[in-house]
Amino acid sequence: MIAVLNAMVLAASDWSYVAGAYIIVVGVLATYSAAVIIRGRKVGKQLPAKDRRWSSE
């Protein structure tokens, strides 16, 4: 019985490392994506309207 409980605790701790790694990776990707979008919008505001290729103006 103790061996089964010990195995369950070890398995749970292994999965917690996996879940933690996924949370870190998703957080880093979301932060990077937000930074790129914010930087792009900031640079886009500096361009004249005629040089904005994505704009129909």
Side-chain angles (χ1 to χ4, degrees):
M1 181 68 165
I2 293 176
V4 172
L5 290 175
N6 196 14
M8 287 173 48
V9 168
L10 286 176
S13 65
D14 290 344
W15 280 109
S16 63
Y17 286 120
V18 173
Y22 271 103
I23 290 170
I24 290 171
V25 168
V26 169
V28 167
L29 288 174
T31 303
Y32 178 72
S33 299
V36 167
I37 290 170
I38 290 169
R39 187 175 60 189
R41 288 182 180 175
K42 194 180 296 184
V43 169
K45 287 180 183 177
Q46 295 175 356
L47 286 174
K50 64 178 182 148
D51 291 336
R52 297 179 192 161
R53 297 180 65 196
W54 62 90
S55 179
S56 61
E57 297 176 11

